[in-house]
Amino acid sequence: MTAENDTFASPIIPNTMNILLLGAGGREHALAWKMAQSHHCDALFIAPGNPGTAGIGTNLNLLVTDFEGIKAASIEHQIGLVVVGPEEPLVKGIYDFFESDPALRHIIVVGPSAKAAQLEGSKAFSKKFMQRHQIPTAAYAEFTLENIEEGKNYIASHSLPVVLKADGLAAGKGVVIATTHNEALETFNEMLVNKQFGEASSKVVIEQFLSGIEVSVFALTNGMDYQIIGHAKDYKRIGEGDTGLNTGGMGCVSPVPFMDDVFMQKVEERIVKPTINGLAAEELCYNGFVFFGLMNVDGEPFVIEYNCRMGDPETEVVMPRLQTDLVALFAAMDNGTLIDANITYDNRSCATIMAVSGGYPGDYEKNKVITGLEDTSAVTDTLVFQAGTKTSENAVVTSGGRVLAVTAFGNNIKDAVALAHQRLEKIRFEGIYFRRDIGYEFEKNT
Ligand code: AMP
Ligand code: GLY
């Protein structure tokens, strides 16, 4: 990174900062990789991190929800900036924890307050927010045990398919798209009466099914100003041709050919601006990433969900494409100069492909030795971001379902994907699986 890459009208940015990044996935490896390139980044710590982040900064053996441990580490390492990767610490109030402690208040925290994180933490909260600010989203109603009979009637007269969502965080499993009324009623019962997701399903949102193509847009905001920092299309199903079970994400491409200026203009005017204005009007304290999960319905964008963090594996394409200094952007977010930032991208196509453990998203085995991680001999323009990995007896072994993401650039999506495959062919672990069709619908002319 060069100084020209973070040109701000009023660059009131500390020369260097010690940074603490919370999380352990591919998203965090990509964020660590990006921040380490900034000349504003002094020492970089990652808690708990993974073997990939250990090659960039110093991993700290701390849980992301161990706020007292994070406090002690922040003081010990004179941290100036905390970047929160996953949603759990945000929904649990890590921003507020820092803000309310005189010993921590000076530290910039990238992530919203617990109240604002309800945009991700509660589907009912986010639907009401969108309704208040006329942000396009699927029609819906919400129910609890108190009005369960009303809910059953609502379902019985709803068009099919119908979407049922547990209100709270349910590790990505709280959404069911029911194709019959019986299935919808059973799911409703399971969530509400049998408390399938505990407290998270004590309220259920029932909404209209939107048919279209899902895309992700990312912004950085301080609740007043914002900058869009990238977009991507995620491939969520385990099987090729978008079949089989939903996963956390099997691969991404960026830029997305149909997300042209016309579409992005609609996204910005109808969704991003009203969201940021809504945060300001409701005095919701928000410093951090907003992940707009959108459905493109015949060229018109609708919000499927908000997340208060970056996506995974979206980060693994968004960060490599972003040329602007990310640490400088965080400082600008904090000091009110975000509006002056100059966002530039690598205009080549970028693709990432997730290698997962055989059996994922169901049961899978762990502790498989991974080889070929360092072998870049034949393939330049590729990056390997580790996710579900750990070190065991001097080897890197698998420790999760989504093991690593391989990102590659190309002159078009087809070339980027082909290059990622080439790199993946050099990586081995027992049971390795990845989709070979990421970006399949964009193979022609892009
Ligand atoms: P969420 O947890 O809100 O991201 O939902 C999980 C997935 O369910 C989304 O990524 C979509 O694929 C799908 N989904 C959620 N809401 C809708 C909807 N209203 N219409 C169609 N698909 C939906
Ligand atoms: N890739 C989707 C997510 O991070 O939620």
Side-chain angles (χ1 to χ4, degrees), residues 166-376:
D167 176 54
L169 294 181
K173 297 190 170 68
V175 176
V176 172
I177 298 172
T179 49
T180 67
H181 287 117
N182 263 349
E183 185 192 355
L185 286 168
E186 271 170 32
T187 304
F188 189 56
N189 208 52
E190 196 54 35
M191 285 186 180
L192 219 45
V193 181
N194 294 343
K195 301 192 179 338
Q196 186 183 8
F197 301 107
E199 195 45 36
S201 63
S202 61
K203 195 184 276 177
V204 174
V205 164
I206 296 175
E207 70 177 39
Q208 170 201 10
F209 177 80
L210 295 176
S211 180
I213 306 171
E214 251 181 288
V215 290
S216 312
V217 171
F218 298 92
L220 184 67
T221 186
N222 58 11
M224 311 285 245
D225 297 327
Y226 68 89
Q227 290 285 354
I228 291 177
I229 56 161
H231 74 254
K233 181 179 188 303
D234 182 16
Y235 294 76
K236 291 185 192 240
R237 302 294 194 94
I238 187 72
E240 291 176 7
D242 294 327
T243 55
L245 293 173
N246 249 326
T247 70
M250 295 296 292
C252 277
V253 297
S254 180
V256 181
F258 64 75
M259 294 177 80
D260 53 13
D261 288 349
V262 174
F263 183 77
M264 287 306 287
Q265 184 81 14
K266 290 179 186 173
V267 171
E268 201 158 349
E269 292 303 321
R270 298 177 193 172
I271 292 168
V272 179
K273 281 185 187 165
T275 299
I276 307 303
N277 291 342
L279 291 172
E282 299 189 20
E283 293 179 11
L284 289 166
C285 183
Y286 204 120
N287 289 290
F289 297 113
V290 192
F291 169 161
F292 299 87
L294 307 177
M295 192 71 89
N296 174 352
V297 183
D298 298 326
E300 308 304 325
F302 288 79
V303 178
I304 291 281
E305 63 168 349
Y306 289 113
N307 293 310
C308 56
R309 53 172 173 84
M310 288 299 291
D312 195 351
E314 285 94 334
T315 308
E316 289 92 306
V317 288
V318 168
M319 287 303 142
R321 285 198 63 221
L322 183 67
Q323 289 174 327
T324 310
D325 183 323
L326 186 63
V327 180
L329 279 178
F330 292 148
M333 172 199 80
D334 180 65
N335 70 26
T337 57
L338 196 53
I339 195 82
D340 302 320
N342 179 23
I343 306 289
T344 59
Y345 301 104
D346 186 323
N347 281 325
R348 290 176 298 167
S349 290
C350 189
T352 196
I353 303 177
M354 267 284 171
V356 306
S357 300
Y360 172 83
D363 293 338
Y364 53 83
E365 289 181 25
K366 296 181 187 174
N367 297 309
K368 306 295 183 193
V369 174
I370 307 169
T371 58
L373 287 170
E374 305 308 328
D375 185 356
T376 50

Side-chain angles (χ1 to χ4, degrees), residues 14 16-22 35 43 45 60 67-84 90 93-113 285-288 327 330-335:
T16 60
M17 282 187 284
N18 288 351
I19 300 175
L20 173 60
L21 169 65
L22 303 181
M35 290 194 293
F45 298 88
L60 302 176
F67 291 2
E68 288 300 333
I70 291 166
K71 172 179 174 174
S74 299
I75 292 168
E76 182 189 346
H77 299 295
Q78 298 181 310
I79 298 297
L81 172 71
V82 172
V83 180
V84 186
L90 292 166
I94 194 158
Y95 177 89
D96 314 80
F97 177 84
F98 272 71
E99 196 57 23
S100 62
D101 190 325
L104 302 176
R105 197 172 294 147
H106 64 284
I107 299 174
I108 304 171
V109 177
V110 180
S113 63
C285 183
Y286 204 120
N287 289 290
V327 180
F330 292 148
M333 172 199 80
D334 180 65
N335 70 26

Side-chain angles (χ1 to χ4, degrees), residues 400-424:
R402 294 195 298 169
V403 175
L404 54 89
V406 173
T407 297
F409 280 99
N411 289 328
N412 53 47
I413 289 175
K414 194 176 174 185
D415 287 354
V417 170
L419 195 57
H421 281 160
Q422 228 176 302
R423 182 74 183 86
L424 267 164

